[in-house]
Amino acid sequence: MVEVAGHPVGLFNDQLLTTVVKTHFQDIKNKGGVVEHVIYPTRTRGRGVANVTFKEKKGAKNVSRKQKHCQAEKVGPAQFTVSHFGEKVFSSVKAILDLSVFRSQVILESLVTDLTRKIPTLSFSPLEPNGRVSVQGSFLDILRLKETLLLKASSLLEKNRNFISEEKWNSQGPKRDLQRGSNSSESPGSSVPETTRSGETLVLDTDVFLYLKKSRFYESTLKKCHVFCQERVDGEITTICIRNAQQCSHPNNAKLVKALIEEYSLALHFELKKETLLLKGKENRDKRRIKSACEQVSLRYPKVLINFYETHIDIIGSSSDTYLLKKEIMKLIRLKS
């Protein structure tokens, strides 16, 4: 987050000024990148001062290097200063967690220990008999804690419903369509030997899962640990069943792989951003032009995943990459039209 001061009071209404500030910092010439929030006026500094939150830290660092910024002439002459707000925006956040909802599924003490291991920068109070625990830390760490607990709850919910039984998985073929239907697939291949009956289940956001499969981490981890995964894509949710290969001499490998994928996917959840190009209602010629532009520009962005659907195109990657890639695509489309 950065603090932007020096805006002329009364020149714009609050909503228009917020738009002007956001547009300024997202302009590629100013090297700010994607702006998530603009708060104006601020509660502590009042009018003339805005707080701007960037998707990535480097965006805030880039604009802070240039203390004086000039507003675009077309919206009126004005000069404002930028200073780094730092982590003192939220020096500490405190939350009360009611973990009693997990009591019938897991040992709560073990759950708290696991959370402490995953997010060591958080401070947990002793667990109370009613299942409540106080936790304190930075805002981003509290947000990460929230996502971790949601993933845990989703995974337990799927297990309770027996969403994936061994018989159901075995009856499914290895085909999976990316059109977000109720489909399943198997990695690394259908030639994998028969598995043991024990397995681990993991529930992921489908966009995160598709990006995860694009990386070398996924397939290499499965091969190194001698496990294989059966995947079921159901709309926005993908469920993965991880099993040890029969010849595997380490029965805990499936659990280890689950922990590795869970940790990596959680990091991706905070890092990835999705941009969407709509195809619905467009002429076939326009659709071909858009797809061609995507394929052409994507060659310069190997870390970005582009998924083509009948009604739209998803662009998934870091906020800076997706923002720049989409901007280049739109520019190329205009040139071709």
Side-chain angles (χ1 to χ4, degrees):
M1 184 181 286
V2 297
E3 183 179 87
V4 184
H7 294 291
V9 178
L11 184 60
F12 305 113
N13 62 42
D14 295 350
Q15 186 175 0
L16 181 56
L17 182 61
T18 298
T19 303
V20 168
V21 171
K22 186 173 183 178
T23 302
H24 174 84
F25 287 116
Q26 289 195 149
D27 191 321
I28 192 170
K29 293 184 295 184
N30 297 315
K31 300 179 180 179
V34 177
V35 173
E36 285 203 328
H37 303 290
V38 176
I39 300 175
Y40 182 84
T42 61
R43 285 180 294 179
T44 55
R45 300 290 300 276
R47 298 190 178 278
V49 180
N51 292 339
V52 181
T53 305
F54 290 89
K55 177 70 175 178
E56 294 185 342
K57 286 184 179 180
K58 66 180 180 181
K61 290 180 180 179
N62 288 342
V63 300
S64 297
R65 291 192 184 102
K66 181 182 176 183
Q67 291 187 341
K68 295 287 184 180
H69 285 252
C70 292
Q71 196 169 262
E73 292 183 4
K74 61 183 179 181
V75 294
Q79 190 178 70
F80 49 89
T81 59
V82 176
S83 57
H84 204 288
F85 219 64
E87 295 181 357
K88 293 181 180 179
V89 179
F90 295 103
S91 58
S92 181
V93 179
K94 188 174 182 180
I96 305 295
L97 298 180
D98 185 355
L99 300 177
S100 61
V101 294
F102 292 101
R103 194 186 297 276
S104 62
Q105 301 292 324
V106 297
I107 300 173
L108 297 188
E109 288 79 3
S110 299
L111 177 58
V112 174
T113 301
D114 186 48
L115 293 172
T116 305
R117 179 184 61 81
K118 286 184 176 179
I119 316 175
T121 49
L122 286 176
S123 175
F124 289 83
S125 70
L127 183 67
E128 298 177 11
N130 61 2
R132 292 193 174 189
V133 61
S134 175
V135 58
Q136 189 167 343
S138 71
F139 178 75
L140 289 178
D141 284 338
I142 294 292
L143 185 62
R144 185 181 175 191
L145 174 65
K146 172 188 172 183
E147 298 297 336
T148 302
L149 288 171
L150 286 173
L151 283 172
K152 184 73 174 177
S154 297
S155 181
L156 291 173
L157 183 62
E158 291 299 322
K159 282 186 176 181
N160 285 344
R161 291 176 176 175
N162 291 321
F163 184 73
I164 305 173
S165 64
E166 185 170 357
E167 292 78 12
K168 188 171 184 179
W169 280 113
N170 289 337
S171 66
Q172 300 280 349
K175 298 179 181 179
R176 180 175 60 86
D177 185 5
L178 287 182
Q179 290 292 341
R180 302 288 178 88
S182 298
N183 308 295
S184 65
S185 68
E186 184 178 278
S187 294
S190 56
S191 60
V192 177
E194 223 176 275
T195 59
T196 59
R197 289 188 174 274
S198 60
E200 297 290 334
T201 302
L202 181 61
V203 180
L204 300 176
D205 175 88
T206 296
D207 289 329
V208 172
F209 166 72
L210 293 175
Y211 191 90
L212 180 68
K213 286 207 73 173
K214 174 183 170 68
S215 68
R216 294 181 180 178
F217 168 82
Y218 187 74
E219 295 294 343
S220 63
T221 301
L222 301 185
K223 290 178 181 178
K224 285 178 183 177
C225 295
H226 302 289
V227 302
F228 81 101
C229 291
Q230 291 172 299
E231 303 136 3
R232 181 184 178 89
V233 178
D234 189 12
E236 300 301 319
I237 295 296
T238 294
T239 308
I240 304 175
C241 184
I242 309 168
R243 291 192 176 96
N244 290 314
Q246 194 174 37
Q247 78 274 20
C248 178
S249 58
H250 301 285
N252 290 327
N253 274 12
K255 187 174 291 187
L256 171 64
V257 170
K258 176 185 176 181
L260 290 172
I261 293 177
E262 195 172 32
E263 187 173 351
Y264 190 59
S265 63
L266 185 63
L268 288 178
H269 182 87
F270 289 100
E271 179 186 341
L272 297 180
K273 180 177 176 61
K274 180 169 72 173
E275 295 280 357
T276 300
L277 298 174
L278 296 177
L279 300 177
K280 190 174 182 180
K282 296 185 180 296
E283 298 289 338
N284 289 334
R285 182 182 60 181
D286 294 331
K287 290 181 180 179
R288 288 193 296 269
R289 186 184 298 126
I290 295 171
K291 289 180 179 179
S292 174
C294 288
E295 291 167 351
Q296 186 175 336
V297 175
S298 65
L299 297 175
R300 296 195 291 274
Y301 294 87
K303 293 185 178 180
V304 174
L305 173 66
I306 299 183
N307 290 327
F308 296 92
Y309 301 99
E310 187 176 344
T311 58
H312 65 281
I313 299 172
D314 282 343
I315 303 169
I316 303 170
S318 68
S319 58
S320 57
D321 279 351
T322 54
Y323 173 74
L324 293 173
L325 186 143
K326 184 177 180 181
K327 195 166 187 176
E328 285 190 38
I329 289 173
M330 300 307 293
K331 183 178 180 182
L332 187 58
I333 292 171
R334 286 194 293 270
L335 289 174
K336 288 185 175 183
S337 60

